[in-house]
């Protein structure tokens, strides 16, 4: 009875104090999203209004019209940048999921020498910020002859120590008895990984997909450091430099529209997978 009152299936009067705290907090946390959406539809006079206005009074599509006009005036079509971003994003997300889940399965369920050392190396890698490894990354990409290729965008973003750590912690929750029963029935390690591990760690996989998508979709480092051909750069780099190629007044509206366009995929992906992300965070630290 106590448990049902504390966490009822439907609405209960005991939940009112919780809603009084969570609803205002949720509204406060959503203010940046509301501002980004409103800011993109502000006309020029509202963008430079003083004092600044949080909400738009006269919504307009002028910023998006100027963005499309400016993009079409360039020497390279915007469709090329979109194509590059799709190729790089899909490749990084897919390969990150495969490498993170495979390495997590090995470090969690298999027995081999040096397993603890490899896990410590992964944990140590989480301490390094991307700026600290820019020079080694460039030297590696240059020595491999990958400058101005799609591999120069994909390879530096494949390593995800945080994603591997989360998947490994989630994989620890899979009962060893399931794996032992599958091995007794004649299943190999790859079969166990594909038919037992992957279906049971879907929340962790969704989390890695979101982390990988955000890291590659918002990334400009690879386009700046590893490519010098305009037709090999991504949409994010193009959007960030588009406003600087116009005058200061028009550039503000274009930058606002570009920010909304680049932000929406992250928001939509997180909304679609947020339940699995919360499940991963709740279980990743449990043993």
């Amino acid at each position: 009875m106590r448990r049902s009152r504390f966490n009822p299936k439907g609405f209960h009067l005991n939940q009112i104090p919780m809603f009084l705290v969570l609803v205002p907090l949720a509204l406060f946390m959503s203010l940046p999203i509301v501002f980004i959406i409103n800011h993109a539809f502000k006309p020029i006079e509202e963008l430079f209004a003083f004092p600044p206005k949080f909400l738009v009074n006269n919504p307009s599509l002028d910023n998006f019209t100027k963005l499309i006009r400016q993009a079409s005036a360039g020497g390279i079509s915007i469709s090329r940048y979109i194509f590059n971003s799709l190729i790089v994003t899909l490749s990084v997300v897919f390969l990150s999921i495969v490498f993170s889940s495979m390495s997590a399965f090995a470090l969690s369920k298999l027995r081999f020498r040096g397993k603890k050392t490899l896990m410590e190396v992964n944990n140590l890698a989480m301490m390094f910020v991307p700026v600290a490894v820019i020079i080694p990354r460039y030297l590696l990409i240059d020595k491999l002859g990958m400058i101005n290729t799609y591999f120069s965008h994909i390879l530096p973003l494949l390593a995800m120590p945080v994603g591997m750590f989360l998947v490994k912690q989630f994989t620890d929750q899979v009962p060893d008895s399931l794996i032992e029963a599958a091995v007794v029935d004649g299943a190999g390690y790859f079969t166990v990984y594909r038919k037992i591990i992957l279906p049971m760690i879907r929340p962790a996989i969704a989390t890695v997909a979101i982390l990988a998508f955000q890291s590659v979709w918002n990334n400009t480092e690879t386009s700046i450091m590893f490519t010098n051909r305009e037709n090999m750069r991504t949409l994010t780099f193009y959007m960030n430099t588009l406003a600087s190629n116009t005058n200061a007044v028009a550039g503000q509206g274009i930058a606002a529209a570009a920010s909304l366009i680049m932000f929406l995929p992250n928001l939509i992906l997180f909304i679609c997978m947020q339940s699995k992300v919360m499940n991963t965070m709740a279980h990743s630290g449990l043993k």
Side-chain angles (χ1 to χ4, degrees):
M1 183 64 66
R2 291 182 181 178
R3 185 174 182 180
S4 62
R5 291 180 179 179
F6 179 76
N7 189 21
K9 294 182 178 180
F11 176 77
H12 194 273
L13 293 178
N14 292 337
Q15 295 177 328
I16 293 179
M18 180 180 63
F19 280 107
L20 292 177
V21 175
L22 294 181
V23 171
L25 182 61
L27 294 176
F28 177 77
M29 297 295 291
S30 65
L31 290 180
I33 300 176
V34 175
F35 176 79
I36 291 175
I37 297 175
N38 280 266
H39 196 63
F41 292 95
K42 289 180 180 178
I44 293 296
E45 58 272 15
E46 293 189 28
L47 287 172
F48 291 91
F50 185 83
K53 297 181 180 180
F54 187 83
L55 299 177
V56 58
N57 293 331
N58 300 306
S60 173
L61 295 176
D62 290 343
N63 296 331
F64 296 93
T65 303
K66 294 177 182 177
L67 174 63
I68 296 174
R69 189 183 304 118
Q70 181 68 22
S72 60
I76 298 177
S77 174
I78 192 174
S79 60
R80 177 66 185 186
Y81 297 103
I82 296 175
F83 176 77
N84 292 341
S85 291
L86 289 177
I87 291 295
V88 174
T89 301
L90 293 177
S91 300
V92 171
V93 171
F94 174 75
L95 293 176
S96 296
I97 291 174
V98 172
F99 292 156
S100 296
S101 58
M102 282 188 171
S103 57
F105 168 60
L107 293 174
S108 176
K109 299 302 180 182
L110 303 185
R111 297 178 182 177
F112 56 92
R113 182 176 299 178
K115 182 173 72 172
K116 293 184 179 179
T117 303
L118 291 176
M119 192 62 197
E120 292 298 329
V121 171
N122 181 83
N123 296 339
L124 184 64
M126 292 191 291
M127 300 174 57
F128 292 92
V129 295
V131 178
V133 294
I134 285 181
I135 295 178
R137 281 181 176 178
Y138 178 82
L139 294 176
L140 179 61
I141 295 296
D142 184 46
K143 292 295 183 181
L144 293 176
M146 295 181 178
I147 299 295
N148 294 321
T149 65
Y150 286 117
F151 292 105
S152 64
H153 290 284
I154 298 172
L155 185 62
L157 301 177
L158 286 183
M160 287 188 59
V162 175
M164 205 284 290
F165 175 81
L166 290 176
V167 179
K168 192 265 180 184
Q169 295 297 95
F170 206 91
T171 307
D172 288 342
Q173 313 306 316
V174 178
D176 294 335
S177 57
L178 291 178
I179 299 176
E180 294 173 357
V183 172
V184 170
D185 290 339
Y189 287 135
F190 184 76
T191 303
V192 172
Y193 162 77
R194 183 169 56 90
K195 293 188 176 181
I196 297 179
I197 299 298
L198 287 182
M200 299 190 69
I201 62 172
R202 287 178 181 175
I205 292 177
T207 304
V208 172
I210 292 176
L211 294 177
F213 179 86
Q214 291 179 340
S215 66
V216 63
W217 184 255
N218 300 321
N219 180 271
T220 59
E221 174 190 319
T222 56
S223 294
I224 296 174
M225 297 293 299
F226 309 133
T227 59
N228 49 40
R229 295 179 184 174
E230 197 65 28
N231 62 351
M232 288 301 301
R233 285 171 170 159
T234 59
L235 182 64
T236 305
F237 174 84
Y238 178 69
M239 288 295 186
N240 288 343
T241 58
L242 192 60
S244 62
N245 295 330
T246 59
N247 61 73
V249 177
Q252 294 299 317
I254 292 176
S259 298
L260 179 60
I261 292 175
M262 298 305 299
F263 171 72
L264 283 179
N266 292 283
L267 178 63
I268 294 172
L269 183 64
F270 182 80
I271 291 176
C272 295
M273 297 186 175
Q274 59 89 20
S275 61
K276 295 184 181 297
V277 174
M278 295 301 104
N279 195 7
T280 302
M281 297 305 174
H283 291 85
S284 60
L286 299 179
K287 289 291 184 180

